[in-house]
Coordinates of all heavy atoms in Angstrom, one line a residue:
M1462 N -30.2 -26.1 37.6 CA -29.9 -27.0 38.7 C -28.4 -27.4 38.6 O -27.9 -27.8 37.6 CB -30.8 -28.3 38.5 CG -30.6 -29.3 39.6 SD -31.5 -30.8 39.4 CE -33.1 -30.3 39.2
D1463 N -27.8 -27.2 39.8 CA -26.4 -27.5 39.9 C -26.2 -29.0 40.3 O -26.6 -29.4 41.4 CB -25.7 -26.6 40.9 CG -24.2 -26.8 41.1 OD1 -23.6 -27.4 40.2 OD2 -23.7 -26.3 42.1
L1464 N -25.6 -29.7 39.4 CA -25.3 -31.2 39.6 C -23.9 -31.5 39.9 O -23.5 -32.7 39.8 CB -25.9 -32.0 38.5 CG -27.4 -31.8 38.2 CD1 -27.8 -32.6 37.0 CD2 -28.2 -32.2 39.4
N1465 N -23.1 -30.5 40.2 CA -21.6 -30.7 40.4 C -21.3 -31.7 41.5 O -20.3 -32.3 41.5 CB -20.9 -29.4 40.6 CG -20.8 -28.6 39.3 OD1 -20.8 -29.2 38.2 ND2 -20.8 -27.3 39.4
F1466 N -22.2 -31.8 42.5 CA -22.0 -32.7 43.6 C -21.9 -34.1 43.2 O -21.3 -35.0 43.9 CB -23.1 -32.5 44.7 CG -24.4 -33.1 44.2 CD1 -24.8 -34.3 44.6 CD2 -25.3 -32.3 43.5 CE1 -26.0 -34.9 44.2 CE2 -26.5 -32.8 43.1 CZ -26.9 -34.1 43.4
L1467 N -22.5 -34.4 42.0 CA -22.5 -35.8 41.5 C -21.0 -36.3 41.3 O -20.7 -37.5 41.4 CB -23.3 -35.9 40.3 CG -24.8 -35.8 40.4 CD1 -25.5 -35.8 39.1 CD2 -25.3 -36.9 41.3
H1468 N -20.1 -35.4 40.9 CA -18.8 -35.8 40.7 C -18.1 -36.4 41.9 O -17.2 -37.3 41.8 CB -17.9 -34.6 40.2 CG -18.4 -34.1 38.8 ND1 -18.1 -34.8 37.7 CD2 -19.1 -33.0 38.4 CE1 -18.6 -34.2 36.6 NE2 -19.3 -33.1 37.1
E1469 N -18.5 -36.0 43.1 CA -18.0 -36.5 44.3 C -18.5 -37.9 44.6 O -17.8 -38.7 45.3 CB -18.3 -35.6 45.5 CG -17.8 -34.2 45.4 CD -18.3 -33.3 46.5 OE1 -18.8 -33.9 47.5 OE2 -18.2 -32.1 46.4
L1470 N -19.6 -38.3 44.0 CA -20.2 -39.6 44.2 C -19.7 -40.7 43.2 O -19.9 -41.9 43.4 CB -21.7 -39.5 44.0 CG -22.4 -38.6 45.0 CD1 -23.9 -38.5 44.7 CD2 -22.2 -39.0 46.4
I1471 N -19.0 -40.2 42.2 CA -18.5 -41.2 41.2 C -17.3 -41.9 41.6 O -16.3 -41.3 42.1 CB -18.2 -40.4 39.9 CG1 -19.4 -39.8 39.3 CG2 -17.5 -41.3 38.8 CD1 -19.2 -38.9 38.1
T1472 N -17.3 -43.2 41.6 CA -16.2 -44.1 41.9 C -15.9 -45.0 40.7 O -16.8 -45.7 40.3 CB -16.6 -45.0 43.1 OG1 -17.0 -44.2 44.2 CG2 -15.4 -45.9 43.5
P1473 N -14.7 -44.9 40.2 CA -14.3 -45.7 39.0 C -14.4 -47.2 39.4 O -14.1 -47.6 40.5 CB -12.9 -45.3 38.7 CG -12.7 -44.0 39.4 CD -13.6 -44.0 40.6
A1474 N -14.9 -48.0 38.5 CA -15.0 -49.4 38.6 C -14.2 -50.1 37.6 O -14.0 -49.7 36.5 CB -16.5 -49.8 38.5
H1475 N -13.7 -51.3 38.0 CA -12.9 -52.1 37.1 C -13.6 -53.3 36.6 O -13.1 -54.2 36.0 CB -11.6 -52.5 37.7 CG -10.8 -51.3 38.2 ND1 -10.1 -50.5 37.4 CD2 -10.6 -50.8 39.5 CE1 -9.5 -49.5 38.1 NE2 -9.8 -49.7 39.3
T1476 N -14.9 -53.3 36.8 CA -15.7 -54.4 36.4 C -16.8 -53.9 35.4 O -17.1 -52.7 35.3 CB -16.4 -55.1 37.6 OG1 -17.2 -54.1 38.3 CG2 -15.4 -55.7 38.5
R1477 N -17.4 -54.8 34.7 CA -18.5 -54.5 33.8 C -19.8 -55.2 34.3 O -19.7 -56.3 34.9 CB -18.2 -54.9 32.4 CG -16.9 -54.3 31.8 CD -17.2 -52.9 31.5 NE -16.0 -52.3 30.8 CZ -15.2 -51.4 31.3 NH1 -15.4 -51.0 32.5 NH2 -14.2 -50.9 30.6
I1478 N -20.9 -54.6 34.1 CA -22.2 -55.1 34.5 C -23.0 -55.3 33.3 O -23.1 -54.4 32.4 CB -22.9 -54.2 35.5 CG1 -22.1 -54.1 36.8 CG2 -24.3 -54.7 35.8 CD1 -22.7 -53.1 37.8
V1479 N -23.6 -56.5 33.1 CA -24.6 -56.7 32.1 C -25.9 -57.1 32.7 O -26.0 -57.9 33.6 CB -24.2 -57.9 31.2 CG1 -25.2 -58.3 30.2 CG2 -22.8 -57.6 30.5
M1480 N -26.9 -56.3 32.4 CA -28.3 -56.6 32.9 C -29.0 -57.2 31.7 O -29.3 -56.5 30.7 CB -29.0 -55.4 33.4 CG -30.4 -55.7 33.9 SD -31.2 -54.4 34.8 CE -31.7 -53.3 33.4
L1481 N -29.3 -58.5 31.8 CA -30.0 -59.2 30.7 C -31.4 -59.4 31.1 O -31.7 -60.0 32.1 CB -29.3 -60.6 30.5 CG -29.9 -61.5 29.5 CD1 -29.9 -60.9 28.1 CD2 -29.2 -62.9 29.5
V1482 N -32.3 -58.8 30.4 CA -33.7 -58.9 30.7 C -34.3 -59.9 29.6 O -34.3 -59.6 28.4 CB -34.4 -57.5 30.5 CG1 -35.9 -57.6 30.8 CG2 -33.8 -56.5 31.5
M1483 N -34.8 -61.0 30.1 CA -35.4 -62.0 29.3 C -36.9 -61.9 29.4 O -37.5 -62.6 30.2 CB -34.8 -63.4 29.7 CG -33.3 -63.4 29.5 SD -32.6 -65.0 29.9 CE -33.2 -66.0 28.6
D1484 N -37.5 -61.1 28.6 CA -38.9 -60.8 28.6 C -39.6 -61.8 27.7 O -39.1 -62.2 26.7 CB -39.1 -59.4 28.2 CG -40.6 -59.0 28.2 OD1 -41.3 -59.6 29.1 OD2 -41.0 -58.1 27.5
G1485 N -40.8 -62.2 28.1 CA -41.6 -63.0 27.2 C -41.3 -64.5 27.3 O -41.6 -65.2 26.3
L1486 N -40.8 -64.9 28.4 CA -40.4 -66.4 28.5 C -41.4 -67.2 29.3 O -41.2 -68.3 29.7 CB -39.0 -66.5 29.2 CG -37.9 -65.9 28.5 CD1 -36.6 -66.1 29.3 CD2 -37.7 -66.5 27.1
G1487 N -42.6 -66.6 29.4 CA -43.7 -67.3 30.2 C -44.6 -68.1 29.3 O -45.7 -68.3 29.6
G1488 N -44.0 -68.6 28.2 CA -44.9 -69.4 27.3 C -45.3 -70.7 27.9 O -44.7 -71.2 28.8
L1489 N -46.4 -71.2 27.3 CA -47.0 -72.5 27.7 C -46.6 -73.5 26.7 O -46.4 -73.2 25.5 CB -48.5 -72.4 27.9 CG -49.0 -71.4 29.0 CD1 -50.5 -71.3 28.9 CD2 -48.5 -71.8 30.4
P1490 N -46.6 -74.8 27.1 CA -46.4 -75.9 26.1 C -47.4 -75.9 25.0 O -48.6 -75.5 25.3 CB -46.4 -77.1 27.0 CG -46.3 -76.7 28.4 CD -46.8 -75.3 28.4
L1491 N -47.1 -76.3 23.8 CA -48.0 -76.3 22.8 C -49.0 -77.5 23.0 O -50.2 -77.4 22.5 CB -47.3 -76.5 21.4 CG -46.5 -75.3 21.0 CD1 -45.7 -75.7 19.7 CD2 -47.3 -74.1 20.8
E1492 N -48.6 -78.5 23.7 CA -49.5 -79.6 24.0 C -49.4 -80.0 25.4 O -48.3 -79.8 26.1 CB -49.1 -80.8 23.1 CG -47.7 -81.3 23.2 CD -47.3 -82.3 22.1 OE1 -47.7 -82.1 21.0 OE2 -46.7 -83.3 22.5
A1493 N -50.4 -80.5 26.0 CA -50.4 -80.9 27.4 C -49.3 -81.8 27.8 O -49.0 -82.8 27.0 CB -51.8 -81.6 27.8
G1494 N -48.5 -81.5 28.8 CA -47.4 -82.3 29.2 C -46.1 -82.1 28.4 O -45.1 -82.6 28.7
G1495 N -46.2 -81.2 27.4 CA -45.0 -80.9 26.6 C -44.1 -79.9 27.2 O -44.4 -79.4 28.3
K1496 N -43.1 -79.5 26.5 CA -42.1 -78.5 27.0 C -42.5 -77.1 26.4 O -43.0 -77.0 25.3 CB -40.7 -78.9 26.5 CG -40.2 -80.2 27.2 CD -38.8 -80.4 26.8 CE -38.2 -81.6 27.5 NZ -36.8 -81.8 27.2
T1497 N -42.1 -76.1 27.1 CA -42.2 -74.8 26.6 C -41.1 -74.5 25.6 O -40.2 -75.3 25.5 CB -42.1 -73.7 27.8 OG1 -40.8 -73.8 28.3 CG2 -43.1 -74.0 28.9
E1498 N -41.2 -73.3 25.0 CA -40.1 -72.9 24.0 C -38.8 -72.9 24.7 O -37.7 -73.3 24.2 CB -40.4 -71.6 23.4 CG -41.6 -71.6 22.5 CD -42.9 -71.2 23.2 OE1 -42.9 -71.2 24.5 OE2 -43.9 -70.9 22.5
L1499 N -38.7 -72.3 25.9 CA -37.5 -72.2 26.6 C -36.9 -73.5 27.1 O -35.7 -73.8 27.1 CB -37.6 -71.2 27.8 CG -36.3 -70.9 28.6 CD1 -35.3 -70.2 27.6 CD2 -36.6 -69.9 29.7
E1500 N -37.8 -74.4 27.5 CA -37.4 -75.8 27.9 C -36.8 -76.5 26.7 O -36.0 -77.4 26.9 CB -38.5 -76.5 28.6 CG -38.9 -76.0 29.9 CD -40.2 -76.6 30.4 OE1 -41.1 -77.0 29.6 OE2 -40.4 -76.7 31.7
T1501 N -37.3 -76.3 25.6 CA -36.9 -77.0 24.4 C -35.6 -76.4 23.8 O -34.8 -77.1 23.2 CB -38.0 -76.9 23.3 OG1 -39.2 -77.4 23.8 CG2 -37.7 -77.6 22.0
A1502 N -35.4 -75.1 24.0 CA -34.3 -74.4 23.4 C -32.9 -74.9 23.9 O -32.8 -75.3 25.1 CB -34.4 -72.9 23.7
R1503 N -31.9 -74.9 23.1 CA -30.5 -75.2 23.5 C -29.9 -73.9 23.9 O -29.9 -73.0 23.2 CB -29.8 -75.8 22.4 CG -30.2 -77.2 22.0 CD -29.3 -77.9 20.9 NE -28.0 -77.9 21.4 CZ -26.9 -77.4 20.7 NH1 -27.1 -76.9 19.5 NH2 -25.7 -77.4 21.2
T1504 N -29.4 -73.9 25.2 CA -28.9 -72.6 25.7 C -27.6 -72.7 26.3 O -27.3 -72.3 27.5 CB -29.9 -72.1 26.8 OG1 -30.1 -73.1 27.8 CG2 -31.3 -71.8 26.2
P1505 N -26.6 -73.3 25.6 CA -25.3 -73.5 26.2 C -24.6 -72.2 26.6 O -23.9 -72.1 27.7 CB -24.5 -74.2 25.2 CG -25.2 -73.9 23.9 CD -26.6 -73.7 24.2
Y1506 N -24.8 -71.1 25.9 CA -24.1 -69.9 26.2 C -24.8 -69.2 27.4 O -24.1 -68.6 28.3 CB -24.0 -68.9 25.0 CG -23.2 -69.5 23.9 CD1 -23.9 -69.9 22.7 CD2 -21.8 -69.6 24.0 CE1 -23.1 -70.5 21.7 CE2 -21.1 -70.2 23.0 CZ -21.7 -70.6 21.8 OH -21.0 -71.2 20.8
L1507 N -26.1 -69.2 27.5 CA -26.8 -68.7 28.6 C -26.5 -69.5 29.9 O -26.3 -68.9 31.0 CB -28.3 -68.7 28.4 CG -28.8 -67.6 27.5 CD1 -30.3 -67.8 27.2 CD2 -28.6 -66.2 28.0
D1508 N -26.4 -70.8 29.7 CA -26.1 -71.7 30.9 C -24.7 -71.3 31.4 O -24.4 -71.3 32.6 CB -26.1 -73.1 30.5 CG -27.5 -73.6 30.1 OD1 -28.5 -72.9 30.5 OD2 -27.7 -74.6 29.4
A1509 N -23.7 -71.1 30.5 CA -22.3 -70.8 30.9 C -22.3 -69.5 31.6 O -21.6 -69.3 32.6 CB -21.4 -70.8 29.7
L1510 N -23.0 -68.5 31.0 CA -23.0 -67.2 31.6 C -23.7 -67.2 33.0 O -23.2 -66.6 34.0 CB -23.8 -66.2 30.7 CG -24.0 -64.8 31.2 CD1 -22.6 -64.1 31.3 CD2 -24.9 -64.0 30.2
A1511 N -24.8 -68.0 33.2 CA -25.4 -68.1 34.5 C -24.6 -68.7 35.5 O -24.6 -68.4 36.7 CB -26.7 -68.9 34.3
A1512 N -23.7 -69.7 35.1 CA -22.8 -70.4 36.0 C -21.8 -69.5 36.7 O -21.3 -69.7 37.8 CB -22.1 -71.5 35.3
V1513 N -21.5 -68.3 36.1 CA -20.5 -67.4 36.6 C -21.1 -66.1 37.0 O -20.3 -65.1 37.1 CB -19.3 -67.2 35.7 CG1 -18.5 -68.6 35.4 CG2 -19.7 -66.6 34.3
S1514 N -22.4 -66.0 37.2 CA -23.0 -64.7 37.4 C -23.8 -64.7 38.7 O -24.0 -65.7 39.3 CB -24.0 -64.5 36.2 OG -23.4 -64.4 35.0
A1515 N -24.2 -63.5 39.1 CA -25.1 -63.3 40.2 C -26.5 -63.2 39.5 O -26.7 -62.4 38.7 CB -24.8 -62.1 40.9
L1516 N -27.4 -64.1 40.0 CA -28.7 -64.1 39.4 C -29.8 -63.7 40.4 O -29.6 -63.8 41.6 CB -29.0 -65.6 38.9 CG -27.9 -66.2 38.0 CD1 -28.3 -67.6 37.7 CD2 -27.8 -65.4 36.7
G1517 N -30.9 -63.3 39.8 CA -32.0 -62.9 40.7 C -33.3 -62.7 39.9 O -33.3 -62.7 38.7
L1518 N -34.3 -62.6 40.7 CA -35.6 -62.4 40.1 C -36.1 -61.0 40.6 O -35.7 -60.6 41.7 CB -36.6 -63.4 40.5 CG -36.4 -64.9 40.1 CD1 -37.4 -65.9 40.7 CD2 -36.4 -65.0 38.6
S1519 N -37.0 -60.4 39.8 CA -37.4 -59.1 40.2 C -38.9 -59.0 40.0 O -39.5 -59.7 39.2 CB -36.8 -58.1 39.2 OG -37.4 -56.8 39.4
E1520 N -39.6 -58.3 40.9 CA -41.0 -58.0 40.8 C -41.1 -56.5 40.6 O -41.3 -55.7 41.5 CB -41.7 -58.4 42.1 CG -41.7 -59.9 42.4 CD -42.3 -60.3 43.7 OE1 -42.4 -59.4 44.6 OE2 -42.6 -61.4 43.9
P1521 N -40.9 -56.1 39.4 CA -40.8 -54.6 39.1 C -42.0 -53.8 39.4 O -41.9 -52.6 39.7 CB -40.4 -54.6 37.6 CG -40.9 -55.8 37.0 CD -40.8 -56.9 38.1
V1522 N -43.2 -54.4 39.3 CA -44.4 -53.6 39.6 C -44.8 -53.7 41.0 O -45.1 -52.7 41.7 CB -45.6 -54.1 38.6 CG1 -46.9 -53.3 38.9 CG2 -45.2 -53.9 37.2
G1523 N -44.8 -54.9 41.6 CA -45.2 -55.1 43.0 C -45.5 -56.6 43.2 O -45.8 -57.3 42.3
P1524 N -45.3 -57.0 44.4 CA -45.6 -58.4 44.7 C -47.0 -58.8 44.3 O -48.0 -58.1 44.7 CB -45.4 -58.5 46.2 CG -44.6 -57.3 46.6 CD -44.9 -56.3 45.6
G1525 N -47.1 -59.9 43.6 CA -48.4 -60.4 43.2 C -49.1 -59.7 42.0 O -50.2 -60.0 41.6
I1526 N -48.4 -58.6 41.5 CA -48.9 -57.9 40.3 C -48.1 -58.3 39.1 O -46.9 -58.1 39.0 CB -48.8 -56.4 40.5 CG1 -49.6 -55.9 41.7 CG2 -49.4 -55.6 39.3 CD1 -49.4 -54.5 42.1
A1527 N -48.8 -58.9 38.1 CA -48.1 -59.3 36.9 C -48.0 -58.0 36.0 O -49.0 -57.5 35.4 CB -48.9 -60.4 36.2
G1528 N -46.8 -57.6 35.9 CA -46.5 -56.4 35.0 C -46.4 -56.8 33.6 O -45.8 -57.8 33.2
E1529 N -46.9 -55.9 32.7 CA -46.7 -56.2 31.3 C -45.3 -55.7 30.9 O -44.6 -55.1 31.7 CB -47.8 -55.4 30.5 CG -49.2 -55.9 30.8 CD -50.2 -55.0 30.1 OE1 -49.9 -54.2 29.3 OE2 -51.4 -55.2 30.4
S1530 N -44.9 -55.9 29.7 CA -43.6 -55.6 29.2 C -43.3 -54.1 29.4 O -42.2 -53.7 29.9 CB -43.4 -55.9 27.8 OG -43.4 -57.3 27.6
G1531 N -44.2 -53.2 29.0 CA -43.9 -51.8 29.0 C -43.6 -51.3 30.5 O -42.6 -50.8 30.8
P1532 N -44.6 -51.5 31.4 CA -44.4 -51.0 32.7 C -43.2 -51.8 33.4 O -42.5 -51.2 34.2 CB -45.7 -51.4 33.5 CG -46.7 -51.4 32.4 CD -46.0 -51.9 31.2
G1533 N -43.1 -53.0 33.1 CA -42.0 -53.8 33.7 C -40.6 -53.3 33.3 O -39.7 -53.1 34.2
H1534 N -40.4 -52.9 32.1 CA -39.1 -52.4 31.6 C -38.9 -51.0 32.2 O -37.8 -50.7 32.6 CB -39.1 -52.4 30.1 CG -38.8 -53.7 29.5 ND1 -39.7 -54.3 28.6 CD2 -37.8 -54.6 29.6 CE1 -39.3 -55.5 28.3 NE2 -38.1 -55.7 28.8
L1535 N -39.9 -50.2 32.2 CA -39.7 -48.8 32.8 C -39.4 -48.9 34.3 O -38.5 -48.2 34.8 CB -41.0 -48.0 32.6 CG -41.3 -47.5 31.2 CD1 -42.6 -46.8 31.2 CD2 -40.2 -46.7 30.7
A1536 N -40.0 -49.9 35.0 CA -39.7 -50.1 36.4 C -38.2 -50.5 36.7 O -37.6 -50.0 37.6 CB -40.6 -51.1 37.0
L1537 N -37.6 -51.2 35.7 CA -36.2 -51.6 35.9 C -35.3 -50.4 35.9 O -34.2 -50.5 36.5 CB -35.8 -52.5 34.7 CG -36.5 -53.9 34.7 CD1 -36.1 -54.6 33.4 CD2 -36.0 -54.7 35.9
F1538 N -35.7 -49.3 35.3 CA -34.9 -48.1 35.2 C -35.4 -47.0 36.1 O -35.1 -45.9 36.0 CB -34.8 -47.6 33.8 CG -34.1 -48.7 32.9 CD1 -34.8 -49.5 32.1 CD2 -32.7 -48.8 33.0 CE1 -34.2 -50.4 31.3 CE2 -32.1 -49.7 32.2 CZ -32.8 -50.6 31.4
G1539 N -36.2 -47.4 37.1 CA -36.6 -46.4 38.2 C -37.9 -45.7 38.0 O -38.2 -44.9 38.8
Y1540 N -38.6 -45.9 36.9 CA -39.9 -45.2 36.8 C -41.0 -46.0 37.5 O -41.0 -47.2 37.5 CB -40.3 -45.1 35.3 CG -39.4 -44.2 34.5 CD1 -38.2 -44.7 33.8 CD2 -39.6 -42.9 34.4 CE1 -37.4 -43.9 33.1 CE2 -38.8 -42.0 33.7 CZ -37.7 -42.6 33.0 OH -36.8 -41.8 32.4
D1541 N -41.9 -45.3 38.1 CA -43.1 -45.9 38.7 C -44.0 -46.5 37.7 O -44.6 -45.8 36.9 CB -43.8 -44.9 39.6 CG -45.0 -45.5 40.4 OD1 -45.4 -46.7 40.1 OD2 -45.5 -44.8 41.2
P1542 N -44.1 -47.9 37.6 CA -44.9 -48.5 36.5 C -46.4 -48.2 36.7 O -47.2 -48.4 35.8 CB -44.6 -50.0 36.7 CG -44.2 -50.1 38.1 CD -43.5 -48.8 38.5
L1543 N -46.8 -47.8 37.9 CA -48.3 -47.5 38.1 C -48.6 -46.1 37.6 O -49.7 -45.8 37.3 CB -48.7 -47.8 39.5 CG -48.5 -49.2 40.0 CD1 -48.8 -49.3 41.5 CD2 -49.3 -50.2 39.2
E1544 N -47.5 -45.3 37.6 CA -47.7 -43.9 37.2 C -47.5 -43.7 35.7 O -48.2 -43.1 35.0 CB -46.8 -43.0 37.9 CG -46.9 -41.5 37.5 CD -46.0 -40.6 38.3 OE1 -45.4 -41.0 39.3 OE2 -45.8 -39.4 37.8
Y1545 N -46.4 -44.3 35.2 CA -46.1 -44.2 33.8 C -46.6 -45.5 33.0 O -45.9 -46.5 33.0 CB -44.6 -44.1 33.6 CG -44.1 -42.8 34.2 CD1 -43.5 -42.8 35.5 CD2 -44.2 -41.6 33.5 CE1 -43.1 -41.6 36.0 CE2 -43.7 -40.4 34.1 CZ -43.1 -40.4 35.3 OH -42.7 -39.3 35.9
R1546 N -47.7 -45.5 32.5 CA -48.4 -46.6 31.9 C -48.1 -46.5 30.4 O -48.6 -45.6 29.7 CB -49.8 -46.7 32.2 CG -50.1 -46.8 33.7 CD -51.4 -47.1 34.0 NE -51.7 -48.4 33.6 CZ -52.5 -49.3 34.1 NH1 -53.2 -48.9 35.2 NH2 -52.7 -50.5 33.6
I1547 N -47.3 -47.4 29.9 CA -46.9 -47.4 28.5 C -47.0 -48.8 28.0 O -46.6 -49.8 28.7 CB -45.6 -46.8 28.3 CG1 -45.2 -46.6 26.8 CG2 -44.5 -47.6 29.0 CD1 -44.0 -45.7 26.6
G1548 N -47.4 -49.0 26.8 CA -47.5 -50.3 26.2 C -46.3 -50.8 25.5 O -45.4 -50.0 25.2
R1549 N -46.2 -52.1 25.3 CA -45.0 -52.7 24.6 C -44.8 -52.2 23.2 O -43.7 -52.0 22.8 CB -45.2 -54.2 24.6 CG -44.1 -55.0 24.0 CD -44.3 -56.5 24.0 NE -43.1 -57.2 23.7 CZ -42.8 -58.4 24.1 NH1 -43.7 -59.0 24.8 NH2 -41.7 -59.0 23.7
G1550 N -45.9 -51.9 22.5 CA -45.8 -51.4 21.1 C -45.1 -50.1 21.1 O -44.3 -49.8 20.2
V1551 N -45.3 -49.2 22.0 CA -44.7 -47.9 22.0 C -43.2 -48.1 22.3 O -42.4 -47.5 21.6 CB -45.3 -47.0 23.1 CG1 -44.5 -45.7 23.3 CG2 -46.8 -46.7 22.8
L1552 N -42.8 -49.0 23.2 CA -41.4 -49.2 23.4 C -40.7 -49.8 22.2 O -39.6 -49.4 21.8 CB -41.2 -50.2 24.6 CG -41.5 -49.6 26.0 CD1 -41.3 -50.7 27.0 CD2 -40.7 -48.4 26.3
E1553 N -41.4 -50.7 21.5 CA -40.8 -51.3 20.3 C -40.7 -50.2 19.2 O -39.7 -50.2 18.5 CB -41.7 -52.4 19.8 CG -41.6 -53.7 20.7 CD -42.4 -54.8 20.3 OE1 -43.0 -54.8 19.2 OE2 -42.5 -55.8 21.0
A1554 N -41.6 -49.3 19.1 CA -41.6 -48.3 18.0 C -40.5 -47.3 18.3 O -39.8 -46.9 17.3 CB -42.9 -47.6 18.0
V1555 N -40.2 -46.9 19.5 CA -39.1 -46.0 19.8 C -37.8 -46.7 19.9 O -36.8 -46.0 19.9 CB -39.4 -45.1 21.0 CG1 -40.7 -44.3 20.8 CG2 -39.5 -45.9 22.3
G1556 N -37.8 -48.0 20.1 CA -36.6 -48.8 20.3 C -35.8 -48.8 19.0 O -34.6 -49.0 19.0

């Protein structure tokens, strides 16, 4: 397969991109009316980064479908999470 055409599509950039995936933050409070782990945590560096960043939410599997870690992470990189079903343990093992 000849991929030389890709060289014409490359545009040098003078910026850097960081994609921060904060997986597993859907915890519940330990006691009724209490705070979650994330609400309790001190996050001055994340707060500072968020203040100067473009932020957004993603529905990697599909609207209304709660994706697990494995399919969700694969979807972030362009894989169809409904076709490529992989568990979190596999990702951790190869990571």
Side-chain angles (χ1 to χ4, degrees):
M1462 180 184 305
D1463 183 15
L1464 300 177
N1465 289 329
F1466 72 95
L1467 291 175
H1468 293 288
E1469 297 174 17
L1470 302 175
I1471 296 173
T1472 304
H1475 302 288
T1476 60
R1477 301 286 186 249
I1478 296 174
V1479 174
M1480 181 171 74
L1481 177 63
V1482 179
M1483 299 181 68
D1484 184 28
L1486 297 179
L1489 297 173
L1491 293 176
E1492 55 190 48
K1496 292 184 176 183
T1497 66
E1498 293 93 344
L1499 188 58
E1500 291 171 329
T1501 303
R1503 292 187 54 235
T1504 58
Y1506 297 110
L1507 285 175
D1508 295 341
L1510 181 61
V1513 296
S1514 300
L1516 306 174
L1518 297 175
S1519 173
E1520 295 176 343
V1522 179
I1526 301 173
E1529 297 174 10
S1530 295
H1534 284 118
L1535 288 176
L1537 291 173
F1538 296 102
Y1540 293 93
D1541 181 350
L1543 300 177
E1544 180 180 346
Y1545 297 96
R1546 303 190 66 147
I1547 187 169
R1549 181 180 192 152
V1551 173
L1552 290 178
E1553 290 180 7
V1555 298

